[in-house]
Amino acid sequence: MWLSRWRTETVTCIACGETVPRSEAREYDKYGNRWEREGKTFEYFCKPCDGDLCRYGREGLEAQLTDLEAGEHSQEAFLRRYVCSLEERRRVEER
């Protein structure tokens, strides 16, 4: 029964805002482990936006974005803070 609902359900892409059938979307788990499904809700990307994603590891990224107060400042201010944090991390790793 849930299969037929899954085929007709629509979801919204978190990147572009387009509404697409669930069967034409890709799950996104911001914690990086979409296979542990119990108690989780997922966000979705449409196939074109999913194809544009970077596949590099993102361990610690969500925590870093939270620490940098992503979404709470202008994009310019956030990017400045983000670049500074990357430069600081690189300096620490080079030591």
Side-chain angles (χ1 to χ4, degrees):
M1 176 165 165
W2 69 269
L3 268 180
S4 63
R5 185 177 76 222
W6 181 79
R7 287 184 188 147
T8 59
E9 179 184 5
T10 59
V11 295
T12 302
C13 174
I14 60 173
C16 70
E18 185 172 337
T19 300
V20 297
R22 167 62 190 92
S23 61
E24 296 179 19
R26 298 290 181 251
E27 290 179 345
Y28 171 73
D29 176 13
K30 66 182 177 180
Y31 299 106
N33 186 354
R34 69 185 195 137
W35 305 112
E36 288 182 25
R37 306 181 79 73
E38 191 171 323
K40 284 188 174 181
T41 57
F42 293 91
E43 297 171 306
Y44 298 91
F45 285 107
C46 65
K47 287 181 181 180
C49 289
D50 182 68
D52 290 342
L53 289 177
C54 171
R55 302 294 182 203
Y56 292 111
R58 62 178 189 239
E59 185 174 326
L61 178 60
E62 293 293 328
Q64 182 181 19
L65 294 175
T66 300
D67 290 345
L68 294 172
E69 300 173 332
E72 297 179 31
H73 303 280
S74 71
Q75 183 176 12
E76 182 180 336
F78 167 74
L79 290 174
R80 228 179 298 119
R81 294 169 61 140
Y82 183 72
V83 168
C84 287
S85 74
L86 291 177
E87 290 171 349
E88 177 62 27
R89 184 188 309 174
R90 187 181 61 212
R91 282 193 294 272
V92 168
E93 290 174 357
E94 288 175 350
R95 291 182 191 161

